[in-house]
Amino acid sequence: MGKIQADQSSMGSQETAGSSRVELKRTISLFSGVCINLGIIIGSGIFVSPKGVLSGAGSVGLTLVLWVVCGVFSLLGALCYAEVGTTWPSSGGAYAYLKAIYGDLVAFLLIWIAVLMAQPSAFAVVALTFGNYCLQPLYPDPSCPPPQIMPQLLGTLVILLLGMTNVLSTRLSTFVQNFFTVCKVVALLIIIVAGIVQLIQGETRNFENAFEGSTFSGLGNALYSGLFSYAGWYSLNIVAEELKDPNKNLPRAIYITVFSVTIIYTFANVAYFTAMTPQELLTSNAVAVTFGSKVLGQFAVIMPIAVALSTFGSVNGNMITCSRIFYVGAREGHLPSLLSMIHIKFLTPLPSVVVTVILSIIYTFSNDIYTLINYFNFVTWTSSGAVVAGMIWVRYKEPDKPRPFKVNIIIAVLFVLASIFLVVIGTIDSPIDTAIGVGITLTGIPVYFLLVYPKRLPRWLTGIQDSVTAWFQRLLLVVKEEKE
């Protein structure tokens, strides 16, 4: 076993001479970087969030405006992250940047909340979307939805299956990521083309008086739902140590990805409204399937299959980046070293995948998918705003620091202000969700000072950790010997 940033998407590694440590190689091209970002951004959001955005906006017109606004806002954040990622070219994303700017405590609080809440809740949202779309053909009537336990069980199944995939085979997980990225783009293109045909046929009644009924009372939840669909624009930063020529390819991949996704999402929502009234969209648990049943006729079965494949691939992609976060956290001493270990034969991050799977399954049995989205967004925008604010401060503090890619300071300031706005308005709309998020974050403070801040842990705790690690190593060796 060795400490490694897990190689799960053809991102090779090499062993240094005279050392058991496995080092990373820069094997991600611009094309691969775009595929990683696209594969993670386009997941469950565009198939579940339209309902949340419309519910908060109140009108078709404001809904479409918010989808464009969310895309522009994500682009601003991604460009700021391109500067931060080329200034501190380390894997780990926001965690690595917070550590470089603010120090260990702030970075630890982020990884603490990411491990306990943000990452597993994101997995759960995607898995539940998978379950809902699989069941939609069996329960087509929105007034008679399936029992809640059914999508939860299907979501659990997909988490377990992809957990096994990411443990057993690097090549298989790579194929899953590439194949399902194509599936999700094809699914959205089918929706867009069908929507264009609908418009040509004169289906424009839902766009008449488009802004009638607009409301700003639910703006926070509407923005959170829309931005959740764009979540992942920061994914390439998490694997920055493996990106070829990051000073050029990181900004390029960001431009290509976010522009493409914004266009696809906006036209997909236009297509939805060519076939569904706002009331129909709000009552649907599987928007794309309802759209397919109205527009595609006998080919409507394509939609639940395509969306299920899309969410399936998104879970796989998130497991890839999640393992990187675990690795960097363990490398910096903020997580147990066990979580940075890889399987000696498969070269996959077995411990981190197991922990992620267990926590994700727990969140899958949440009663409200939009509460999970609020949890995720609270962490995302708090940490992202803090990273970019720190970037502005470092510009002032260290003006001569090398910055291969540099954004206009106005973009950075706008992003910080928008992040503050999102956190504040999200707190106003869902104070209980925010309070839970803050509470879980604050529980990390005593953990940090008891177990992390003392560079030398108590002898009894070190002994327990060493014993668990040794037992785990022996178990893997036994499994390997039995297979051989």
PDB file of all heavy atoms in Angstrom, residues 203-236:
ATOM      1  N   GLU A 203     -45.473  25.677 -30.883  1.00  0.00           N
ATOM      2  CA  GLU A 203     -45.742  25.440 -29.457  1.00  0.00           C
ATOM      3  C   GLU A 203     -45.038  26.521 -28.618  1.00  0.00           C
ATOM      4  O   GLU A 203     -44.001  26.281 -28.000  1.00  0.00           O
ATOM      5  CB  GLU A 203     -45.262  24.046 -29.064  1.00  0.00           C
ATOM      6  CG  GLU A 203     -45.973  22.909 -29.760  1.00  0.00           C
ATOM      7  CD  GLU A 203     -47.437  22.815 -29.335  1.00  0.00           C
ATOM      8  OE1 GLU A 203     -47.794  23.354 -28.256  1.00  0.00           O
ATOM      9  OE2 GLU A 203     -48.225  22.225 -30.087  1.00  0.00           O
ATOM     10  N   THR A 204     -45.626  27.704 -28.621  1.00  0.00           N
ATOM     11  CA  THR A 204     -45.017  28.841 -27.908  1.00  0.00           C
ATOM     12  C   THR A 204     -45.933  29.434 -26.846  1.00  0.00           C
ATOM     13  O   THR A 204     -45.636  30.489 -26.292  1.00  0.00           O
ATOM     14  CB  THR A 204     -44.644  29.943 -28.916  1.00  0.00           C
ATOM     15  OG1 THR A 204     -45.837  30.377 -29.596  1.00  0.00           O
ATOM     16  CG2 THR A 204     -43.626  29.440 -29.934  1.00  0.00           C
ATOM     17  N   ARG A 205     -47.040  28.768 -26.550  1.00  0.00           N
ATOM     18  CA  ARG A 205     -48.022  29.372 -25.645  1.00  0.00           C
ATOM     19  C   ARG A 205     -47.462  29.624 -24.243  1.00  0.00           C
ATOM     20  O   ARG A 205     -47.863  30.567 -23.569  1.00  0.00           O
ATOM     21  CB  ARG A 205     -49.273  28.489 -25.547  1.00  0.00           C
ATOM     22  CG  ARG A 205     -49.025  27.095 -24.997  1.00  0.00           C
ATOM     23  CD  ARG A 205     -50.293  26.244 -25.079  1.00  0.00           C
ATOM     24  NE  ARG A 205     -50.097  24.908 -24.524  1.00  0.00           N
ATOM     25  CZ  ARG A 205     -49.543  23.912 -25.188  1.00  0.00           C
ATOM     26  NH1 ARG A 205     -49.118  24.109 -26.440  1.00  0.00           N
ATOM     27  NH2 ARG A 205     -49.399  22.726 -24.630  1.00  0.00           N
ATOM     28  N   ASN A 206     -46.504  28.786 -23.800  1.00  0.00           N
ATOM     29  CA  ASN A 206     -45.956  28.976 -22.448  1.00  0.00           C
ATOM     30  C   ASN A 206     -44.985  30.153 -22.373  1.00  0.00           C
ATOM     31  O   ASN A 206     -44.570  30.537 -21.272  1.00  0.00           O
ATOM     32  CB  ASN A 206     -45.242  27.700 -21.982  1.00  0.00           C
ATOM     33  CG  ASN A 206     -46.209  26.568 -21.707  1.00  0.00           C
ATOM     34  OD1 ASN A 206     -47.333  26.793 -21.254  1.00  0.00           O
ATOM     35  ND2 ASN A 206     -45.786  25.338 -21.981  1.00  0.00           N
ATOM     36  N   PHE A 207     -44.617  30.697 -23.530  1.00  0.00           N
ATOM     37  CA  PHE A 207     -43.691  31.840 -23.539  1.00  0.00           C
ATOM     38  C   PHE A 207     -44.430  33.168 -23.688  1.00  0.00           C
ATOM     39  O   PHE A 207     -43.807  34.228 -23.709  1.00  0.00           O
ATOM     40  CB  PHE A 207     -42.668  31.675 -24.674  1.00  0.00           C
ATOM     41  CG  PHE A 207     -41.859  30.418 -24.566  1.00  0.00           C
ATOM     42  CD1 PHE A 207     -42.153  29.310 -25.344  1.00  0.00           C
ATOM     43  CD2 PHE A 207     -40.815  30.333 -23.656  1.00  0.00           C
ATOM     44  CE1 PHE A 207     -41.423  28.136 -25.231  1.00  0.00           C
ATOM     45  CE2 PHE A 207     -40.074  29.167 -23.541  1.00  0.00           C
ATOM     46  CZ  PHE A 207     -40.365  28.073 -24.327  1.00  0.00           C
ATOM     47  N   GLU A 208     -45.766  33.111 -23.820  1.00  0.00           N
ATOM     48  CA  GLU A 208     -46.553  34.335 -23.858  1.00  0.00           C
ATOM     49  C   GLU A 208     -46.690  34.870 -22.431  1.00  0.00           C
ATOM     50  O   GLU A 208     -46.955  34.111 -21.500  1.00  0.00           O
ATOM     51  CB  GLU A 208     -47.923  34.048 -24.469  1.00  0.00           C
ATOM     52  CG  GLU A 208     -47.849  33.530 -25.904  1.00  0.00           C
ATOM     53  CD  GLU A 208     -49.192  33.072 -26.430  1.00  0.00           C
ATOM     54  OE1 GLU A 208     -50.181  33.176 -25.669  1.00  0.00           O
ATOM     55  OE2 GLU A 208     -49.244  32.592 -27.576  1.00  0.00           O
ATOM     56  N   ASN A 209     -46.511  36.166 -22.268  1.00  0.00           N
ATOM     57  CA  ASN A 209     -46.516  36.773 -20.922  1.00  0.00           C
ATOM     58  C   ASN A 209     -45.563  36.000 -20.010  1.00  0.00           C
ATOM     59  O   ASN A 209     -45.929  35.564 -18.912  1.00  0.00           O
ATOM     60  CB  ASN A 209     -47.924  36.782 -20.335  1.00  0.00           C
ATOM     61  CG  ASN A 209     -48.916  37.535 -21.206  1.00  0.00           C
ATOM     62  OD1 ASN A 209     -48.608  38.621 -21.702  1.00  0.00           O
ATOM     63  ND2 ASN A 209     -50.095  36.956 -21.417  1.00  0.00           N
ATOM     64  N   ALA A 210     -44.351  35.788 -20.511  1.00  0.00           N
ATOM     65  CA  ALA A 210     -43.404  34.872 -19.863  1.00  0.00           C
ATOM     66  C   ALA A 210     -43.051  35.255 -18.434  1.00  0.00           C
ATOM     67  O   ALA A 210     -42.723  34.388 -17.617  1.00  0.00           O
ATOM     68  CB  ALA A 210     -42.125  34.785 -20.703  1.00  0.00           C
ATOM     69  N   PHE A 211     -43.101  36.553 -18.108  1.00  0.00           N
ATOM     70  CA  PHE A 211     -42.683  36.985 -16.772  1.00  0.00           C
ATOM     71  C   PHE A 211     -43.868  37.168 -15.816  1.00  0.00           C
ATOM     72  O   PHE A 211     -43.674  37.621 -14.686  1.00  0.00           O
ATOM     73  CB  PHE A 211     -41.879  38.284 -16.874  1.00  0.00           C
ATOM     74  CG  PHE A 211     -40.522  38.090 -17.472  1.00  0.00           C
ATOM     75  CD1 PHE A 211     -40.335  38.190 -18.842  1.00  0.00           C
ATOM     76  CD2 PHE A 211     -39.424  37.771 -16.667  1.00  0.00           C
ATOM     77  CE1 PHE A 211     -39.079  37.998 -19.408  1.00  0.00           C
ATOM     78  CE2 PHE A 211     -38.175  37.571 -17.220  1.00  0.00           C
ATOM     79  CZ  PHE A 211     -37.994  37.684 -18.601  1.00  0.00           C
ATOM     80  N   GLU A 212     -45.042  36.799 -16.258  1.00  0.00           N
ATOM     81  CA  GLU A 212     -46.206  36.909 -15.385  1.00  0.00           C
ATOM     82  C   GLU A 212     -46.094  35.915 -14.231  1.00  0.00           C
ATOM     83  O   GLU A 212     -45.839  34.731 -14.424  1.00  0.00           O
ATOM     84  CB  GLU A 212     -47.477  36.630 -16.184  1.00  0.00           C
ATOM     85  CG  GLU A 212     -48.763  36.801 -15.386  1.00  0.00           C
ATOM     86  CD  GLU A 212     -50.006  36.561 -16.227  1.00  0.00           C
ATOM     87  OE1 GLU A 212     -49.881  36.560 -17.477  1.00  0.00           O
ATOM     88  OE2 GLU A 212     -51.072  36.366 -15.652  1.00  0.00           O
ATOM     89  N   GLY A 213     -46.276  36.405 -13.019  1.00  0.00           N
ATOM     90  CA  GLY A 213     -46.172  35.550 -11.828  1.00  0.00           C
ATOM     91  C   GLY A 213     -44.794  35.497 -11.223  1.00  0.00           C
ATOM     92  O   GLY A 213     -44.567  34.755 -10.249  1.00  0.00           O
ATOM     93  N   SER A 214     -43.858  36.270 -11.767  1.00  0.00           N
ATOM     94  CA  SER A 214     -42.487  36.279 -11.229  1.00  0.00           C
ATOM     95  C   SER A 214     -42.484  36.702  -9.769  1.00  0.00           C
ATOM     96  O   SER A 214     -43.226  37.603  -9.364  1.00  0.00           O
ATOM     97  CB  SER A 214     -41.600  37.237 -12.036  1.00  0.00           C
ATOM     98  OG  SER A 214     -41.491  36.816 -13.378  1.00  0.00           O
ATOM     99  N   THR A 215     -41.662  36.045  -8.989  1.00  0.00           N
ATOM    100  CA  THR A 215     -41.537  36.368  -7.567  1.00  0.00           C
ATOM    101  C   THR A 215     -40.080  36.261  -7.155  1.00  0.00           C
ATOM    102  O   THR A 215     -39.324  35.477  -7.725  1.00  0.00           O
ATOM    103  CB  THR A 215     -42.397  35.426  -6.710  1.00  0.00           C
ATOM    104  OG1 THR A 215     -42.181  35.737  -5.330  1.00  0.00           O
ATOM    105  CG2 THR A 215     -42.014  33.968  -6.941  1.00  0.00           C
ATOM    106  N   PHE A 216     -39.729  37.077  -6.179  1.00  0.00           N
ATOM    107  CA  PHE A 216     -38.352  37.035  -5.682  1.00  0.00           C
ATOM    108  C   PHE A 216     -38.291  36.458  -4.273  1.00  0.00           C
ATOM    109  O   PHE A 216     -37.227  36.422  -3.675  1.00  0.00           O
ATOM    110  CB  PHE A 216     -37.741  38.452  -5.705  1.00  0.00           C
ATOM    111  CG  PHE A 216     -37.543  38.988  -7.092  1.00  0.00           C
ATOM    112  CD1 PHE A 216     -38.498  39.816  -7.674  1.00  0.00           C
ATOM    113  CD2 PHE A 216     -36.428  38.633  -7.833  1.00  0.00           C
ATOM    114  CE1 PHE A 216     -38.328  40.297  -8.961  1.00  0.00           C
ATOM    115  CE2 PHE A 216     -36.252  39.106  -9.129  1.00  0.00           C
ATOM    116  CZ  PHE A 216     -37.190  39.940  -9.688  1.00  0.00           C
ATOM    117  N   SER A 217     -39.432  36.013  -3.762  1.00  0.00           N
ATOM    118  CA  SER A 217     -39.456  35.480  -2.393  1.00  0.00           C
ATOM    119  C   SER A 217     -38.702  34.158  -2.292  1.00  0.00           C
ATOM    120  O   SER A 217     -38.167  33.816  -1.238  1.00  0.00           O
ATOM    121  CB  SER A 217     -40.903  35.300  -1.925  1.00  0.00           C
ATOM    122  OG  SER A 217     -41.599  34.399  -2.780  1.00  0.00           O
ATOM    123  N   GLY A 218     -38.673  33.409  -3.390  1.00  0.00           N
ATOM    124  CA  GLY A 218     -37.950  32.131  -3.376  1.00  0.00           C
ATOM    125  C   GLY A 218     -36.685  32.169  -4.196  1.00  0.00           C
ATOM    126  O   GLY A 218     -36.195  31.123  -4.660  1.00  0.00           O
ATOM    127  N   LEU A 219     -36.121  33.390  -4.368  1.00  0.00           N
ATOM    128  CA  LEU A 219     -34.962  33.542  -5.247  1.00  0.00           C
ATOM    129  C   LEU A 219     -33.763  32.721  -4.770  1.00  0.00           C
ATOM    130  O   LEU A 219     -33.020  32.158  -5.583  1.00  0.00           O
ATOM    131  CB  LEU A 219     -34.585  35.025  -5.333  1.00  0.00           C
ATOM    132  CG  LEU A 219     -33.455  35.385  -6.301  1.00  0.00           C
ATOM    133  CD1 LEU A 219     -33.818  34.995  -7.722  1.00  0.00           C
ATOM    134  CD2 LEU A 219     -33.132  36.878  -6.217  1.00  0.00           C
ATOM    135  N   GLY A 220     -33.567  32.659  -3.466  1.00  0.00           N
ATOM    136  CA  GLY A 220     -32.416  31.916  -2.943  1.00  0.00           C
ATOM    137  C   GLY A 220     -32.453  30.449  -3.326  1.00  0.00           C
ATOM    138  O   GLY A 220     -31.478  29.905  -3.858  1.00  0.00           O
ATOM    139  N   ASN A 221     -33.601  29.812  -3.078  1.00  0.00           N
ATOM    140  CA  ASN A 221     -33.714  28.395  -3.427  1.00  0.00           C
ATOM    141  C   ASN A 221     -33.656  28.181  -4.932  1.00  0.00           C
ATOM    142  O   ASN A 221     -33.132  27.161  -5.408  1.00  0.00           O
ATOM    143  CB  ASN A 221     -35.015  27.813  -2.869  1.00  0.00           C
ATOM    144  CG  ASN A 221     -34.945  27.592  -1.370  1.00  0.00           C
ATOM    145  OD1 ASN A 221     -33.863  27.398  -0.818  1.00  0.00           O
ATOM    146  ND2 ASN A 221     -36.084  27.648  -0.706  1.00  0.00           N
ATOM    147  N   ALA A 222     -34.198  29.147  -5.719  1.00  0.00           N
ATOM    148  CA  ALA A 222     -34.138  29.032  -7.172  1.00  0.00           C
ATOM    149  C   ALA A 222     -32.696  29.069  -7.655  1.00  0.00           C
ATOM    150  O   ALA A 222     -32.277  28.254  -8.496  1.00  0.00           O
ATOM    151  CB  ALA A 222     -34.950  30.158  -7.817  1.00  0.00           C
ATOM    152  N   LEU A 223     -31.914  30.013  -7.134  1.00  0.00           N
ATOM    153  CA  LEU A 223     -30.509  30.101  -7.519  1.00  0.00           C
ATOM    154  C   LEU A 223     -29.732  28.879  -7.055  1.00  0.00           C
ATOM    155  O   LEU A 223     -28.872  28.362  -7.779  1.00  0.00           O
ATOM    156  CB  LEU A 223     -29.892  31.378  -6.937  1.00  0.00           C
ATOM    157  CG  LEU A 223     -30.320  32.687  -7.609  1.00  0.00           C
ATOM    158  CD1 LEU A 223     -29.822  33.874  -6.803  1.00  0.00           C
ATOM    159  CD2 LEU A 223     -29.796  32.761  -9.033  1.00  0.00           C
ATOM    160  N   TYR A 224     -30.013  28.405  -5.853  1.00  0.00           N
ATOM    161  CA  TYR A 224     -29.329  27.216  -5.353  1.00  0.00           C
ATOM    162  C   TYR A 224     -29.597  26.016  -6.244  1.00  0.00           C
ATOM    163  O   TYR A 224     -28.692  25.230  -6.555  1.00  0.00           O
ATOM    164  CB  TYR A 224     -29.784  26.914  -3.921  1.00  0.00           C
ATOM    165  CG  TYR A 224     -28.933  27.557  -2.856  1.00  0.00           C
ATOM    166  CD1 TYR A 224     -27.992  28.532  -3.159  1.00  0.00           C
ATOM    167  CD2 TYR A 224     -29.059  27.184  -1.521  1.00  0.00           C
ATOM    168  CE1 TYR A 224     -27.213  29.120  -2.180  1.00  0.00           C
ATOM    169  CE2 TYR A 224     -28.276  27.768  -0.525  1.00  0.00           C
ATOM    170  CZ  TYR A 224     -27.363  28.734  -0.866  1.00  0.00           C
ATOM    171  OH  TYR A 224     -26.584  29.299   0.117  1.00  0.00           O
ATOM    172  N   SER A 225     -30.862  25.853  -6.668  1.00  0.00           N
ATOM    173  CA  SER A 225     -31.194  24.719  -7.536  1.00  0.00           C
ATOM    174  C   SER A 225     -30.497  24.840  -8.884  1.00  0.00           C
ATOM    175  O   SER A 225     -29.967  23.861  -9.420  1.00  0.00           O
ATOM    176  CB  SER A 225     -32.713  24.645  -7.739  1.00  0.00           C
ATOM    177  OG  SER A 225     -33.368  24.296  -6.544  1.00  0.00           O
ATOM    178  N   GLY A 226     -30.488  26.064  -9.448  1.00  0.00           N
ATOM    179  CA  GLY A 226     -29.820  26.254 -10.734  1.00  0.00           C
ATOM    180  C   GLY A 226     -28.323  26.054 -10.642  1.00  0.00           C
ATOM    181  O   GLY A 226     -27.717  25.376 -11.487  1.00  0.00           O
ATOM    182  N   LEU A 227     -27.712  26.635  -9.618  1.00  0.00           N
ATOM    183  CA  LEU A 227     -26.261  26.524  -9.463  1.00  0.00           C
ATOM    184  C   LEU A 227     -25.832  25.095  -9.146  1.00  0.00           C
ATOM    185  O   LEU A 227     -24.713  24.698  -9.473  1.00  0.00           O
ATOM    186  CB  LEU A 227     -25.780  27.480  -8.371  1.00  0.00           C
ATOM    187  CG  LEU A 227     -25.832  28.968  -8.762  1.00  0.00           C
ATOM    188  CD1 LEU A 227     -25.625  29.852  -7.540  1.00  0.00           C
ATOM    189  CD2 LEU A 227     -24.791  29.279  -9.829  1.00  0.00           C
ATOM    190  N   PHE A 228     -26.724  24.323  -8.519  1.00  0.00           N
ATOM    191  CA  PHE A 228     -26.408  22.917  -8.264  1.00  0.00           C
ATOM    192  C   PHE A 228     -26.181  22.179  -9.576  1.00  0.00           C
ATOM    193  O   PHE A 228     -25.331  21.285  -9.663  1.00  0.00           O
ATOM    194  CB  PHE A 228     -27.537  22.253  -7.476  1.00  0.00           C
ATOM    195  CG  PHE A 228     -27.313  20.780  -7.227  1.00  0.00           C
ATOM    196  CD1 PHE A 228     -26.456  20.359  -6.233  1.00  0.00           C
ATOM    197  CD2 PHE A 228     -27.952  19.830  -8.009  1.00  0.00           C
ATOM    198  CE1 PHE A 228     -26.234  19.007  -6.010  1.00  0.00           C
ATOM    199  CE2 PHE A 228     -27.736  18.477  -7.790  1.00  0.00           C
ATOM    200  CZ  PHE A 228     -26.883  18.067  -6.785  1.00  0.00           C
ATOM    201  N   SER A 229     -26.937  22.569 -10.610  1.00  0.00           N
ATOM    202  CA  SER A 229     -26.780  21.923 -11.914  1.00  0.00           C
ATOM    203  C   SER A 229     -25.425  22.229 -12.540  1.00  0.00           C
ATOM    204  O   SER A 229     -24.931  21.466 -13.372  1.00  0.00           O
ATOM    205  CB  SER A 229     -27.890  22.379 -12.865  1.00  0.00           C
ATOM    206  OG  SER A 229     -29.148  21.991 -12.379  1.00  0.00           O
ATOM    207  N   TYR A 230     -24.842  23.383 -12.183  1.00  0.00           N
ATOM    208  CA  TYR A 230     -23.528  23.765 -12.713  1.00  0.00           C
ATOM    209  C   TYR A 230     -22.388  23.316 -11.800  1.00  0.00           C
ATOM    210  O   TYR A 230     -21.221  23.538 -12.131  1.00  0.00           O
ATOM    211  CB  TYR A 230     -23.453  25.284 -12.889  1.00  0.00           C
ATOM    212  CG  TYR A 230     -24.282  25.830 -14.023  1.00  0.00           C
ATOM    213  CD1 TYR A 230     -25.577  26.272 -13.812  1.00  0.00           C
ATOM    214  CD2 TYR A 230     -23.764  25.916 -15.307  1.00  0.00           C
ATOM    215  CE1 TYR A 230     -26.342  26.791 -14.850  1.00  0.00           C
ATOM    216  CE2 TYR A 230     -24.518  26.435 -16.357  1.00  0.00           C
ATOM    217  CZ  TYR A 230     -25.806  26.874 -16.116  1.00  0.00           C
ATOM    218  OH  TYR A 230     -26.557  27.387 -17.149  1.00  0.00           O
ATOM    219  N   ALA A 231     -22.738  22.742 -10.658  1.00  0.00           N
ATOM    220  CA  ALA A 231     -21.696  22.324  -9.720  1.00  0.00           C
ATOM    221  C   ALA A 231     -20.745  21.347 -10.399  1.00  0.00           C
ATOM    222  O   ALA A 231     -21.169  20.409 -11.068  1.00  0.00           O
ATOM    223  CB  ALA A 231     -22.327  21.663  -8.490  1.00  0.00           C
ATOM    224  N   GLY A 232     -19.485  21.587 -10.232  1.00  0.00           N
ATOM    225  CA  GLY A 232     -18.476  20.760 -10.884  1.00  0.00           C
ATOM    226  C   GLY A 232     -17.543  21.572 -11.751  1.00  0.00           C
ATOM    227  O   GLY A 232     -16.558  21.045 -12.268  1.00  0.00           O
ATOM    228  N   TRP A 233     -17.833  22.898 -11.911  1.00  0.00           N
ATOM    229  CA  TRP A 233     -16.935  23.736 -12.711  1.00  0.00           C
ATOM    230  C   TRP A 233     -15.539  23.816 -12.100  1.00  0.00           C
ATOM    231  O   TRP A 233     -14.589  24.187 -12.762  1.00  0.00           O
ATOM    232  CB  TRP A 233     -17.519  25.137 -12.886  1.00  0.00           C
ATOM    233  CG  TRP A 233     -18.008  25.814 -11.635  1.00  0.00           C
ATOM    234  CD1 TRP A 233     -19.299  25.883 -11.193  1.00  0.00           C
ATOM    235  CD2 TRP A 233     -17.227  26.545 -10.679  1.00  0.00           C
ATOM    236  NE1 TRP A 233     -19.370  26.598 -10.019  1.00  0.00           N
ATOM    237  CE2 TRP A 233     -18.105  27.015  -9.683  1.00  0.00           C
ATOM    238  CE3 TRP A 233     -15.873  26.837 -10.561  1.00  0.00           C
ATOM    239  CZ2 TRP A 233     -17.686  27.760  -8.586  1.00  0.00           C
ATOM    240  CZ3 TRP A 233     -15.440  27.576  -9.461  1.00  0.00           C
ATOM    241  CH2 TRP A 233     -16.335  28.033  -8.497  1.00  0.00           C
ATOM    242  N   TYR A 234     -15.416  23.440 -10.852  1.00  0.00           N
ATOM    243  CA  TYR A 234     -14.138  23.462 -10.137  1.00  0.00           C
ATOM    244  C   TYR A 234     -13.462  22.099 -10.138  1.00  0.00           C
ATOM    245  O   TYR A 234     -12.405  21.919  -9.525  1.00  0.00           O
ATOM    246  CB  TYR A 234     -14.376  23.882  -8.679  1.00  0.00           C
ATOM    247  CG  TYR A 234     -15.600  23.223  -8.081  1.00  0.00           C
ATOM    248  CD1 TYR A 234     -15.565  21.901  -7.653  1.00  0.00           C
ATOM    249  CD2 TYR A 234     -16.807  23.903  -7.996  1.00  0.00           C
ATOM    250  CE1 TYR A 234     -16.697  21.281  -7.154  1.00  0.00           C
ATOM    251  CE2 TYR A 234     -17.937  23.298  -7.488  1.00  0.00           C
ATOM    252  CZ  TYR A 234     -17.882  21.997  -7.069  1.00  0.00           C
ATOM    253  OH  TYR A 234     -19.005  21.380  -6.590  1.00  0.00           O
ATOM    254  N   SER A 235     -14.039  21.115 -10.818  1.00  0.00           N
ATOM    255  CA  SER A 235     -13.563  19.732 -10.710  1.00  0.00           C
ATOM    256  C   SER A 235     -12.139  19.557 -11.227  1.00  0.00           C
ATOM    257  O   SER A 235     -11.353  18.796 -10.660  1.00  0.00           O
ATOM    258  CB  SER A 235     -14.502  18.787 -11.467  1.00  0.00           C
ATOM    259  OG  SER A 235     -15.791  18.802 -10.924  1.00  0.00           O
ATOM    260  N   LEU A 236     -11.817  20.248 -12.306  1.00  0.00           N
ATOM    261  CA  LEU A 236     -10.485  20.064 -12.884  1.00  0.00           C
ATOM    262  C   LEU A 236      -9.393  20.567 -11.944  1.00  0.00           C
ATOM    263  O   LEU A 236      -8.272  20.068 -11.960  1.00  0.00           O
ATOM    264  CB  LEU A 236     -10.405  20.786 -14.233  1.00  0.00           C
ATOM    265  CG  LEU A 236      -9.344  20.257 -15.215  1.00  0.00           C
ATOM    266  CD1 LEU A 236      -9.506  18.774 -15.465  1.00  0.00           C
ATOM    267  CD2 LEU A 236      -9.417  21.026 -16.532  1.00  0.00           C
TER     268      LEU A 236
END
